[in-house]
Amino acid sequence: EEVHLRTDQQNKELMELMSMENTRRQLSMYQAQGRILQKQRRMLALVERIAGRQLDAHALSSVPEDLPAPEPSSDAFFARLELTLVEADGLPRMDVVKGCDGYCVAFMDGGHTHVHTTKVVPKSLSPVWKEETAFDLRRRKRILSVMLLDKDTFTKDDLVGCC
């Protein structure tokens, strides 16, 4: 019976250690997402300053709020969005041994129109992709999403962050 009690105690300790490791991973992920969010805010402020210099208030007021969507068969488009997925920095360790095998997936409107997936950068907490893609915008209001994932071999890939 003493052996069973000792085994039960070891199992409880193991479960507690696993719980603590999961909590550490989540905290690390939240910290990384916070850093990513700060960088995104700085980038947005920079883009707004650049756009403010290039377009005066009169030009901005003459742009219609909502352009009608073209017919589905139409090849005309409103604009082209060019996206460069450059790098990530300070990613959390998603795997115990190898760190993070990071890659990005960028898509418009829930992935119904165009999806771009970067190459996987193995064993790096600061992956560099420098990959370009473009999206043809067929209406004015669109939603661009970018997910950063950790590639796993035997399990579902882990979400590191998204915007």
Side-chain angles (χ1 to χ4, degrees), residues 8-123:
D8 287 344
Q9 181 63 28
Q10 288 174 341
N11 286 341
K12 286 179 185 178
E13 289 173 0
L14 181 61
M15 293 300 288
E16 188 175 323
L17 283 173
M18 290 174 63
S19 175
M20 289 171 56
E21 175 63 20
N22 284 339
T23 302
R24 186 196 63 77
R25 280 185 181 185
Q26 286 178 335
L27 178 61
S28 181
M29 185 174 69
Y30 292 144
Q31 289 171 338
Q33 286 175 339
R35 288 190 299 270
I36 291 168
L37 185 58
Q38 288 174 342
K39 288 181 181 181
Q40 288 174 341
R41 287 180 180 152
R42 286 194 301 266
M43 190 180 306
L44 179 61
L46 178 63
V47 168
E48 287 175 344
R49 282 200 319 256
I50 292 170
R53 289 182 191 150
Q54 292 179 350
L55 298 174
D56 62 12
H58 176 71
L60 287 173
S61 66
S62 66
V63 176
E65 274 300 309
D66 193 17
L67 295 176
E71 296 298 318
S73 62
S74 173
D75 289 333
F77 64 92
F78 172 69
R80 172 170 279 221
L81 172 68
E82 294 181 1
L83 175 68
T84 304
L85 297 161
V86 180
E87 65 184 15
D89 188 34
L91 297 182
R93 286 191 178 277
M94 300 301 288
D95 301 318
V96 177
V97 176
K98 58 183 177 173
C100 186
D101 301 324
Y103 70 99
C104 286
V105 177
F107 53 93
M108 282 285 204
D109 297 329
H112 299 294
T113 55
H114 179 75
V115 177
H116 177 80
T117 303
T118 66
K119 67 181 184 262
V120 175
V121 178
K123 303 177 186 175

